[in-house]
Amino acid sequence: MNQLSFIKKISVLILCQLLFCQLAQASFLVEKQTLELESFNTTNGKTIPQVTLGWESYGELNADKSNAILITHYFTGNSHAAGKYTEDDVNPGYWDAIIGPGKAIDTNRYFVLSMDTLANVSAYSEQVVTTGPASINPATGKPWGLDFPVVTIRDFVNTQKALLDSLGITKLHAVIGPSMGSMQAIEWAVAYPDMVERMVSVIGVAQSDAWLVTGLQKWANPILSDPNWQNGDYYSSSAPLEGLTQSLAIITQEAMHPRIFNQLNPEHSALEQPPALDIRNNFKVVDWLYQAASKRATSMDANHILYLVRACQLFMAGHDGNLEKALNKVQAKSLFLPARGDLLLFPDMAKQAHKMLQSAGKSSQYTEITGDWGHLDGIYNVQQQADTLKQFLEQKV
Amino acid sequence: MNQLSFIKKISVLILCQLLFCQLAQASFLVEKQTLELESFNTTNGKTIPQVTLGWESYGELNADKSNAILITHYFTGNSHAAGKYTEDDVNPGYWDAIIGPGKAIDTNRYFVLSMDTLANVSAYSEQVVTTGPASINPATGKPWGLDFPVVTIRDFVNTQKALLDSLGITKLHAVIGPSMGSMQAIEWAVAYPDMVERMVSVIGVAQSDAWLVTGLQKWANPILSDPNWQNGDYYSSSAPLEGLTQSLAIITQEAMHPRIFNQLNPEHSALEQPPALDIRNNFKVVDWLYQAASKRATSMDANHILYLVRACQLFMAGHDGNLEKALNKVQAKSLFLPARGDLLLFPDMAKQAHKMLQSAGKSSQYTEITGDWGHLDGIYNVQQQADTLKQFLEQKV
């Protein structure tokens, strides 16, 4: 790295730090809570005993319990959607820009909830409480591994419903989620139509087509091919960290657009010497991506990635083989916010769901988020649609 | 597969067969020839002794040797750009639709040449003659493996120049290539500006940016991670076919657009039962892609994939670290034909090169190929731009 680009990188880091601090200052303190279920029945007819899942809430539930908004998280995300854990926490929740007092999802008005999914990828993160293949199977006293049942988007919805039931909430003012969270939001509106008043799909799809299912397999394969994976039974030996790292590197790149990727690597040169001398030598940009992935891998579980990949692959809203019929059940008003530059979940897929809802006579809005991030514009640039979102949430149903 | 979709698949196959037969009938017979070089010096300062490369030609070289057009091939392609090998050959060369008597690249007027690259991926195909890591190193009597020098796009250009030298050709009426072939075409116009009168870049780029270099690494990693790869020294043991298959599956999907991918798999259902029961069970569409890749893998060499990935990664036209300066050397008229739906080499990259040439006062045209294939529109739908191409080739220089 030359001096100029080093200075540039440092400047960007400082700017990010300042931005995070600002956000953190504007933010509020939150605490992780847990929901324990004695047993949970999956849509595939299996039973998982002793399910524990983390959740967070922001704002206060009103007297008639009519002001709840559920936020459903993305693939590598968790229930930390907003706020910070301590005063000096510099990383508020991922949608802190739109959730909080006076923000688009106004915690002065709404009681905002979010929950960790089953098999959340960050099994070893302090921020996450999940039950999945890395959890202890009470029947054996050992980690489940692949004996853990395959779970689906509907199962995630059903764990969230269990949380609402425990709180006595029978109506959602809205359910809102990005990416895999959007799958859950749409599923909510189809599965429990009389409970959902408003549905917001951010960078989402209503079904996984052949292209997406095959593309997601590309995320699973490095793990499946890692000799350490051992059919998922690696908990008493070495974890398949190499495969997990490769998987995360692919996920990270595919969630981005070339514009931001190239902006983040201004010093890249196609003519670097080491790669020209031996095909085993990497370009700096490849090392940059894989080193970041390797760091993230330490808090994640490889089997959990496989289970979430599978949950996303198995997704068709309503889970009954007919998307039109499923969307016809929706009673909620819908808002679709895809990202124009999304190369992972193309805006056309959100538009397809939006048009199917409109054709069925449902209320549906569609607006694209713009930016350089691609898919991640749904996380980093969502505040661009803060007004649209605020107005949508204030609409009468 | 239900009966209806089975009938659909069969119908598509029959249609393709008919189409191929028609093309084959309209086509001409060709023969693979070989060029032998006692030794070849790479741009990295290494020497490769005993280089043998295949080539083909269509049409006749005129008396003053002024009618030669060089076609440079894509990543998984080879010198079989047009024609057929036998009367009943149903697979003519990949650009047969635009190369032949009376076609856009008219073999009644032009002497059309094409050559296999060094380290061509199809090392074990009867259609390919190449020298690469799978070839015998004369110094040891064993396959080169990773002792084979890293080679670059410029090296491919220089082997082609050696062929032209051997034929006494000192000017190219045009150099035309798709994808990796486009890199070679641009490199020709920069490296030997006084030899190239016209340059056509189809689905191409003038340099590999950080995004592309990292994306290409995704093609290499499954091979590098295959335990059979053994640092490239697998020629007396089992080849890394699993890694090679995964690599080819990724390449195949990434060269396509979701539209065609979904059209080719109309029977796909996100709700298939086997994948819902065990995360080790695949969706049919995944099996379809990987089985096709596995079949193709038998004629390919894993190290050759790695070497071509690296050649593409190391690409910046001119290879001197300044693209603007490099393109300023171009004397050829240029034509860029990117594919609008290309998700691998985005049209914006071709447009960037086109604009740089225009800014430098060079003659450059830009037109997009449309279609459902994505990157592969540059192969399967190139005839859409036949008139543009024909007129471009007839332009005075």
Side-chain angles (χ1 to χ4, degrees):
Chain A
M1 202 186 298
N2 64 34
Q3 210 183 347
L4 184 65
S5 61
F6 179 73
I7 292 169
K8 271 191 206 161
K9 276 223 164 163
I10 289 293
S11 311
V12 170
L13 276 175
I14 293 170
L15 274 172
C16 290
Q17 204 88 12
L18 284 172
L19 186 69
F20 275 130
C21 287
Q22 258 193 325
L23 287 169
Q25 276 159 16
S27 200
F28 46 90
L29 289 182
V30 297
E31 234 180 338
K32 188 76 69 180
Q33 303 182 66
T34 53
L35 175 76
E36 310 224 349
L37 300 172
E38 216 169 289
S39 76
F40 177 78
N41 297 321
T42 73
T43 47
N44 285 331
K46 306 284 167 111
T47 299
I48 310 173
Q50 295 179 23
V51 167
T52 311
L53 297 169
W55 63 282
E56 298 187 7
S57 69
Y58 327 114
E60 300 296 325
L61 187 60
N62 61 9
D64 61 356
K65 302 187 175 183
S66 64
N67 70 333
I69 290 181
L70 177 67
I71 308 292
T72 45
H73 72 70
Y74 58 97
F75 192 92
T76 56
N78 60 65
S79 59
H80 193 37
K84 49 181 187 164
Y85 293 124
T86 58
E87 287 296 343
D88 54 355
D89 185 350
V90 291
N91 292 311
Y94 64 90
W95 262 0
D96 198 82
I98 53 165
I99 302 172
K103 295 180 185 175
I105 303 172
D106 188 350
T107 50
N108 291 332
R109 301 181 58 171
Y110 306 116
F111 175 60
V112 181
L113 285 150
S114 188
M115 193 175 188
D116 296 328
T117 64
L118 292 161
N120 183 291
V121 297
S122 299
Y124 310 118
S125 161
E126 284 180 10
Q127 286 188 20
V128 172
V129 182
T130 189
T131 301
S135 307
I136 298 298
N137 177 353
T140 64
K142 292 178 182 165
W144 282 94
L146 300 198
D147 290 336
F148 196 78
V150 170
V151 286
T152 62
I153 297 295
R154 172 70 72 98
D155 291 321
F156 304 162
V157 165
N158 286 345
T159 60
Q160 292 148 5
K161 180 158 185 305
L163 172 63
L164 299 189
D165 288 347
S166 76
L167 299 169
I169 296 169
T170 56
K171 273 250 190 256
L172 286 170
H173 184 85
V175 54
I176 309 175
S179 197
M180 185 182 84
S182 158
M183 293 178 174
Q184 296 164 67
I186 295 175
E187 187 62 22
W188 255 105
V190 172
Y192 301 105
D194 53 347
M195 286 184 71
V196 182
E197 296 182 326
R198 295 165 195 82
M199 188 286 294
V200 185
S201 157
V202 180
I203 50 170
V205 296
Q207 65 177 333
S208 293
D209 60 12
W211 171 269
L212 181 57
V213 163
T214 312
L216 287 167
Q217 194 63 35
K218 202 164 51 178
W219 300 5
N221 283 340
I223 293 169
L224 297 170
S225 300
D226 188 322
N228 284 345
W229 180 61
Q230 300 198 44
N231 277 301
D233 185 16
Y234 52 78
Y235 295 101
S236 53
S237 54
S238 297
L241 284 177
E242 176 53 34
L244 178 54
T245 297
Q246 280 192 33
S247 172
L248 286 170
I250 295 173
I251 294 170
T252 306
Q253 183 172 10
E254 296 195 345
M256 292 166 92
H257 189 278
R259 277 193 298 271
I260 192 73
F261 197 88
N262 290 327
Q263 283 166 33
L264 290 171
N265 293 281
E267 78 276 22
H268 169 70
S269 161
L271 307 180
E272 281 172 23
Q273 266 308 295
L277 298 177
D278 190 310
I279 58 107
R280 285 166 295 196
N281 295 338
N282 281 333
F283 282 85
K284 283 179 195 162
V285 58
V286 171
D287 280 336
W288 166 79
L289 183 68
Y290 282 78
Q291 280 164 13
S294 172
K295 207 172 155 190
R296 285 177 81 196
T298 55
S299 65
M300 296 191 178
D301 182 76
N303 281 336
H304 284 218
I305 294 265
L306 299 180
Y307 273 70
L308 284 204
V309 160
R310 183 50 50 90
C312 292
Q313 287 177 319
L314 286 167
F315 181 58
M316 178 184 236
H319 288 270
D320 69 353
N322 186 328
L323 185 60
E324 218 172 315
K325 202 174 116 194
L327 294 181
N328 206 35
K329 294 180 187 165
V330 172
Q331 294 178 27
K333 283 180 187 287
S334 299
L335 169 63
F336 290 86
L337 299 174
R340 187 166 300 165
D342 195 333
L343 297 170
L344 182 58
L345 304 181
F346 294 90
D348 272 358
M349 298 187 77
K351 194 175 271 174
Q352 184 204 29
H354 160 68
K355 289 198 168 166
M356 284 174 93
L357 282 166
Q358 282 193 323
S359 300
K362 314 288 180 184
S363 165
S364 182
Q365 281 176 250
Y366 176 98
T367 311
E368 291 177 3
I369 304 167
T370 57
D372 287 338
W373 276 98
H375 188 64
L376 287 174
D377 278 316
I379 306 299
Y380 300 142
N381 277 325
V382 68
Q383 65 276 18
Q384 193 186 92
Q385 295 297 330
D387 288 345
T388 310
L389 186 55
K390 193 179 174 69
Q391 284 160 24
F392 177 79
L393 293 176
E394 288 169 1
Q395 270 183 34
K396 290 263 176 299
V397 287
Chain B
M1 201 186 298
N2 62 36
Q3 209 185 348
L4 185 65
S5 60
F6 179 73
I7 291 169
K8 270 191 206 160
K9 277 224 163 162
I10 289 292
S11 311
V12 170
L13 277 175
I14 292 171
L15 274 172
C16 291
Q17 204 87 9
L18 284 172
L19 187 68
F20 275 130
C21 287
Q22 257 194 325
L23 287 171
Q25 276 159 14
S27 200
F28 46 90
L29 289 183
V30 296
E31 233 181 338
K32 188 76 68 179
Q33 303 182 66
T34 53
L35 175 77
E36 308 224 351
L37 300 171
E38 214 170 289
S39 77
F40 177 79
N41 297 322
T42 73
T43 46
N44 284 332
K46 305 284 166 111
T47 299
I48 311 172
Q50 295 178 24
V51 167
T52 311
L53 297 169
W55 62 283
E56 298 186 7
S57 69
Y58 327 115
E60 301 295 327
L61 187 61
N62 61 9
D64 62 355
K65 301 187 174 183
S66 64
N67 70 334
I69 292 181
L70 177 68
I71 308 293
T72 46
H73 73 71
Y74 57 99
F75 192 91
T76 55
N78 61 64
S79 58
H80 192 39
K84 50 181 188 166
Y85 292 125
T86 58
E87 287 295 345
D88 55 354
D89 186 351
V90 291
N91 293 312
Y94 63 89
W95 263 359
D96 197 82
I98 53 165
I99 302 172
K103 295 180 185 174
I105 303 173
D106 188 349
T107 49
N108 291 330
R109 300 180 58 168
Y110 305 117
F111 175 61
V112 181
L113 284 151
S114 188
M115 195 175 186
D116 296 328
T117 63
L118 292 161
N120 184 291
V121 296
S122 299
Y124 311 118
S125 160
E126 285 180 8
Q127 287 189 19
V128 172
V129 182
T130 189
T131 301
S135 308
I136 298 299
N137 177 353
T140 63
K142 291 180 183 165
W144 281 93
L146 300 197
D147 290 336
F148 195 79
V150 170
V151 286
T152 63
I153 297 294
R154 173 71 72 99
D155 290 321
F156 303 162
V157 165
N158 285 346
T159 60
Q160 292 149 5
K161 180 158 184 307
L163 172 62
L164 299 188
D165 289 348
S166 76
L167 299 170
I169 297 170
T170 56
K171 273 250 190 256
L172 285 170
H173 183 85
V175 54
I176 309 175
S179 197
M180 185 183 84
S182 159
M183 294 177 173
Q184 297 165 66
I186 295 174
E187 187 62 22
W188 255 106
V190 172
Y192 301 104
D194 52 348
M195 284 185 72
V196 182
E197 295 181 325
R198 294 166 196 81
M199 189 287 293
V200 184
S201 157
V202 180
I203 51 171
V205 297
Q207 65 176 333
S208 293
D209 58 13
W211 172 269
L212 181 57
V213 163
T214 312
L216 287 167
Q217 194 63 35
K218 202 164 49 176
W219 299 6
N221 282 341
I223 293 169
L224 297 169
S225 300
D226 188 323
N228 283 345
W229 179 61
Q230 300 198 44
N231 277 301
D233 185 17
Y234 52 77
Y235 294 102
S236 53
S237 54
S238 297
L241 284 178
E242 176 53 33
L244 178 54
T245 296
Q246 280 191 35
S247 171
L248 286 171
I250 296 172
I251 294 170
T252 305
Q253 183 173 12
E254 295 195 345
M256 291 165 92
H257 188 278
R259 278 194 298 271
I260 192 73
F261 198 87
N262 290 328
Q263 284 165 32
L264 290 172
N265 294 281
E267 78 276 22
H268 170 70
S269 161
L271 307 179
E272 280 172 24
Q273 266 310 294
L277 297 177
D278 191 310
I279 58 104
R280 285 166 295 196
N281 295 338
N282 280 334
F283 282 86
K284 285 181 195 160
V285 59
V286 171
D287 279 336
W288 166 78
L289 183 69
Y290 283 77
Q291 280 164 12
S294 171
K295 207 172 156 190
R296 285 176 81 195
T298 55
S299 64
M300 297 191 177
D301 183 75
N303 281 336
H304 284 218
I305 294 266
L306 299 179
Y307 273 70
L308 284 205
V309 160
R310 184 50 50 89
C312 291
Q313 288 176 317
L314 287 166
F315 181 59
M316 178 184 236
H319 288 270
D320 71 352
N322 186 328
L323 185 60
E324 217 172 316
K325 201 175 116 196
L327 294 181
N328 206 35
K329 293 181 187 165
V330 172
Q331 294 178 26
K333 284 181 187 289
S334 298
L335 169 63
F336 290 87
L337 299 174
R340 186 165 300 163
D342 195 333
L343 298 170
L344 182 59
L345 305 181
F346 294 90
D348 273 358
M349 299 186 78
K351 195 176 270 174
Q352 184 204 29
H354 159 69
K355 289 197 169 166
M356 284 175 94
L357 283 166
Q358 283 194 322
S359 299
K362 314 289 181 184
S363 165
S364 183
Q365 283 176 248
Y366 176 98
T367 311
E368 291 176 2
I369 304 168
T370 57
D372 288 339
W373 277 98
H375 187 64
L376 287 175
D377 278 318
I379 306 299
Y380 299 143
N381 276 325
V382 69
Q383 66 277 18
Q384 193 186 95
Q385 295 297 331
D387 288 344
T388 312
L389 186 55
K390 192 179 175 70
Q391 284 159 25
F392 177 79
L393 293 177
E394 286 169 3
Q395 269 183 36
K396 290 261 175 300
V397 287

